Amino acid sequence: MEPNVDAVVQAGRWSEAEAGEGSYRVVVVGQGFEHVSTRVLAQWKADGGEDGQARIVHEAELVAPGNYSLTAPKLTPTASGVRVELRGVATYDSRRRVVCRFDLAPGGKVTVVRACGL
């Protein structure tokens, strides 16, 4: 984990023939000084194997740093995976509210339901 992690939220379950099974995890990382922005990563975390160690089998950047300051995500399990909802403000105009939604599915699949900039 990066030292400036603001939130880690885990929910839902996935299963893949090759990678096994595990849970979805979303990591929110704060970056910057004057204009703090947020980077958001989705991770597919496999359950511990014979050695008991969990591992990340897929990772995807949902939100790149620079444009938004977001709070902890809300994860809601769905029939095919999990929906991620992020809320916050634009980095350079805190009056501009932002809502982003993504669907995560097995195999490292990400679908943008609502992009942050809309």
Side-chain angles (χ1 to χ4, degrees):
M1 287 287 167
E2 299 182 36
N4 45 350
V5 170
D6 292 334
V8 177
V9 178
Q10 188 168 299
R13 300 285 300 165
W14 59 264
S15 178
E16 295 175 34
E18 306 260 331
E21 60 184 51
S23 56
Y24 298 96
R25 181 165 79 174
V26 176
V27 180
V28 178
V29 181
Q31 298 181 314
F33 297 100
E34 187 175 329
H35 293 281
V36 176
S37 67
T38 303
R39 178 179 188 218
V40 181
L41 299 170
Q43 298 176 330
W44 287 251
K45 186 176 114 181
D47 294 337
E50 291 178 16
D51 62 0
Q53 296 294 313
R55 67 189 192 293
I56 304 302
V57 295
H58 304 290
E59 184 173 81
E61 185 175 70
L62 301 181
V63 180
N67 295 318
Y68 308 106
S69 178
L70 304 167
T71 61
K74 177 183 175 187
L75 274 63
T76 306
T78 65
S80 60
V82 72
R83 172 153 296 171
V84 178
E85 181 174 283
L86 299 159
R87 294 182 175 270
V89 296
T91 304
Y92 292 96
D93 183 0
S94 61
R95 296 170 294 168
R96 186 170 157 236
R97 301 269 177 224
V98 174
V99 177
C100 331
R101 290 187 187 97
F102 304 89
D103 282 344
L104 308 181
K109 295 177 185 153
V110 176
T111 303
V112 178
V113 177
R114 179 179 177 164
C116 292
L118 298 179

